[in-house]
Amino acid sequence: MTGCEIDGHDVLHDKWGNHQWVYDPVTDKHYDAECPEGVDDWKQLPFYNR
């Protein structure tokens, strides 16, 4: 993806630490290894719904 950004967010769980994902402004979606199809909001990534 050209022009994508790598973003991250600290998780409120000591075991997992933080997580990083890719945001593509062209598709306006957030991607990570578990969600290659992308989601509209980073809070919808599977990592944050465990």
Side-chain angles (χ1 to χ4, degrees):
M1 289 181 233
T2 303
C4 69
E5 300 174 18
I6 296 175
D7 205 346
H9 181 72
D10 288 336
V11 179
L12 301 176
H13 194 291
D14 295 337
K15 180 179 178 185
W16 301 113
N18 63 39
H19 183 65
Q20 293 186 343
W21 67 92
V22 175
Y23 170 71
D24 180 11
V26 174
T27 62
D28 195 30
K29 291 195 180 239
H30 304 262
Y31 302 86
D32 70 4
E34 293 182 290
C35 199
E37 69 278 5
V39 293
D40 295 328
D41 187 338
W42 64 267
K43 295 174 195 163
Q44 295 172 323
L45 292 168
F47 182 87
Y48 295 106
N49 292 301
R50 294 187 184 134

